[in-house]
Each structure stands twice: as C-alpha cells, then as structure tokens.
Amino acid sequence: LGSGLPITLEKVAIDQFLQAPVFTVLIFYYLNLGVCDVRAKLRSTYASTLVNNWLLWVPATAVNFAFVEPEYRVLFLNIVFFGWSIYLSLFVSGSG
C-alpha cells in the first residue's frame, strides 16, 4: 500500500463517498423495526446524518490512514465508531 497525501485522500474518498452513503442506509434499517419508519426517517434526516458522518469520519479516516500504524488502525476506528454508534442510535431514535 502506498502512503502520502494523494493516497490518503484517495482512501478517504473511497471510504466516505462510496461506502458511507450505503452503510448509513443499512444502519437506519438495522436501528428501526418498520420499513415505513425507515423510509420516513431517511427522507427527513438522511442528508443531515450523512453530513454529520462526514464531519466526524473524514478527519478520523484521514488521521487513521496518514498517522496511525497499520496494526492500530482497527482499534482507532473502533474507538471512533463507538462514539458514532451511540450518537447515531440516539439520533435515529429521536432522542439525540
């Protein structure tokens, strides 16, 4: 794997602009019981959720690829994901 700014930006772009939109929808489905509820929630909050996702995950992913040693990358992302999953659960449930 390469390193440096161009490679880091490429990895962040692939992660956040290809993977994140799809997984955000899947998480909404996972956190809700009814398909109708999920569709309504996506219509009303998908854009803001995706923006909040990017506000957290673009810098976190860039730091991960640029500065975190490969053997600690999963740990680093799991720590960030722990906080994100709490936020997202509260947001999707309407408590956040």
Side-chain angles (χ1 to χ4, degrees):
L1 296 175
S3 60
L5 184 59
I7 297 298
T8 298
L9 292 176
E10 182 180 327
K11 290 177 180 180
V12 170
I14 289 169
D15 183 69
Q16 290 304 304
F17 300 105
L18 295 178
Q19 177 271 120
V22 173
F23 277 94
T24 299
V25 171
L26 294 175
I27 289 170
F28 270 68
Y29 274 98
Y30 176 75
L31 293 175
N32 283 278
L33 299 175
V35 172
C36 292
D37 292 340
V38 170
R39 288 183 183 151
K41 189 63 124 172
L42 284 171
R43 271 190 231 103
S44 65
T45 62
Y46 181 72
S48 62
T49 302
L50 205 51
V51 169
N52 288 334
N53 174 79
W54 290 332
L55 289 172
L56 172 68
W57 285 104
V58 168
T61 304
V63 166
N64 190 47
F65 287 133
F67 302 111
V68 177
E69 294 295 323
E71 61 267 20
Y72 299 112
R73 287 182 182 166
V74 172
L75 175 62
F76 176 79
L77 289 181
N78 280 329
I79 291 168
V80 176
F81 185 74
F82 180 73
W84 173 249
S85 63
I86 291 169
Y87 161 79
L88 196 57
S89 294
L90 292 171
F91 185 75
V92 169
S93 72
S95 302

